[in-house]
Amino acid sequence: MIKMIELPYSLDALEPFYSKETLDLHYNILYKGYVDKTNSSFVNLESARARNDFKNIKCLEKELSFQGSGAILHEMFFQNMKPASEISRIDCRLVQKIIEDFGSFEAFKRQFSEAAAVVEASGWCLLVWVPNFKKLEILQCEKHQNLTLWGCKPLLVLDMWEHSYYLQYKTKRPDYISAFWNIINWEEVNKRFLEINF
Ligand code: MN
């Protein structure tokens, strides 16, 4: 079960840049809804596992992605804000890396603002660290679920694109999937798991 994070400032602390009324509704109603429904997802998934009944698994996992990603992103959003009066000069390792990857802080700010402005309907603009590229990037996330949970670290993956099985298994996806269980490098999967900082 997850809990709502406490707001690290009072509801009116971000005024006039972010109004008390907006923050109140955003935090107490919308964010609370994501947290509550993420917990309901956990309960429903537990129950499906206990009953060994996976007929609704697509729906249950979609719900977990939607509600869970909503909870995680809002948590970051509220934590990455701070009353304007408490903000002093920004000078940190991240800013150095931003300058390195975007050319200058102003250039980063320009790209982030332009990207945020064209996010389609319900979505987010994110500055992200891409471990594989060892660099910062800006992404426009449409909606916020796309069947992932932000910040998760993939441990074991199976390519379900047709190119990955069609030549051999044609339309028999289940056969491809059951074959996969015979060829998993569990040492590698375990290695990735052990890299996690618990
Ligand atoms: Mn929101």
Side-chain angles (χ1 to χ4, degrees):
M1 293 290 150
I2 58 168
K3 283 185 188 155
M4 287 175 78
I5 53 144
E6 285 194 25
L7 266 190
Y9 36 74
S10 62
L11 285 176
D12 60 359
L14 303 178
E15 297 250 18
F17 305 101
Y18 203 83
S19 81
K20 180 182 174 181
E21 190 188 11
T22 312
L23 185 56
D24 188 13
L25 293 172
H26 206 167
Y27 176 83
N28 286 310
I29 309 286
L30 297 169
Y31 168 54
K32 182 177 187 299
Y34 281 116
V35 171
D36 291 347
K37 288 173 190 158
T38 298
N39 286 329
S40 305
S41 285
F42 292 152
V43 171
N44 293 335
L45 280 163
E46 270 306 314
S47 148
R49 288 193 274 261
R51 288 180 285 112
N52 196 24
D53 171 7
F54 296 108
K55 67 178 181 301
N56 293 324
I57 197 63
K58 186 173 178 184
C59 174
L60 292 176
E61 288 175 358
K62 269 193 169 183
E63 182 70 359
L64 173 67
S65 294
F66 178 72
Q67 304 297 349
S69 293
I72 291 167
L73 286 167
H74 280 94
E75 191 173 301
M76 278 193 269
F77 175 68
F78 293 127
Q79 285 174 328
N80 70 207
M81 293 191 289
K82 189 179 176 178
S85 60
E86 291 170 22
I87 294 171
S88 47
R89 214 172 126 251
I90 31 169
D91 187 16
C92 56
R93 181 68 195 94
L94 173 63
V95 172
Q96 285 169 27
K97 186 65 179 153
I98 283 174
I99 294 168
E100 204 179 305
D101 289 349
F102 294 92
S104 70
F105 191 81
E106 277 312 306
F108 155 72
K109 210 171 147 182
R110 215 163 32 240
Q111 186 182 330
F112 191 94
S113 306
E114 296 275 351
V118 293
V119 169
E120 288 184 11
S122 42
W124 300 72
C125 187
L126 309 103
L127 169 66
V128 300
W129 171 248
V130 190
N132 291 53
F133 306 156
K134 301 264 178 293
K135 69 200 289 282
L136 298 166
E137 281 297 349
I138 291 165
L139 297 175
Q140 300 160 50
C141 151
E142 287 176 24
K143 300 185 183 174
H144 61 217
Q145 65 275 39
N146 287 338
L147 306 182
T148 188
L149 285 173
W150 290 91
C152 72
K153 177 186 166 76
L155 297 175
L156 171 68
V157 297
L158 172 61
D159 191 341
M160 293 307 300
W161 282 63
E162 283 186 348
H163 65 232
S164 183
Y165 64 87
Y166 204 82
L167 267 183
Q168 183 181 356
Y169 292 96
K170 305 287 189 298
T171 55
K172 294 180 178 148
R173 275 185 143 201
D175 290 357
Y176 164 63
I177 297 164
S178 59
F180 175 67
W181 292 102
N182 298 302
I183 49 172
I184 297 170
N185 181 347
W186 286 108
E187 275 171 11
E188 177 62 23
V189 177
N190 186 52
K191 200 183 96 202
R192 291 189 208 176
F193 177 65
L194 293 178
E195 283 164 3
I196 296 167
N197 230 335
F198 290 101

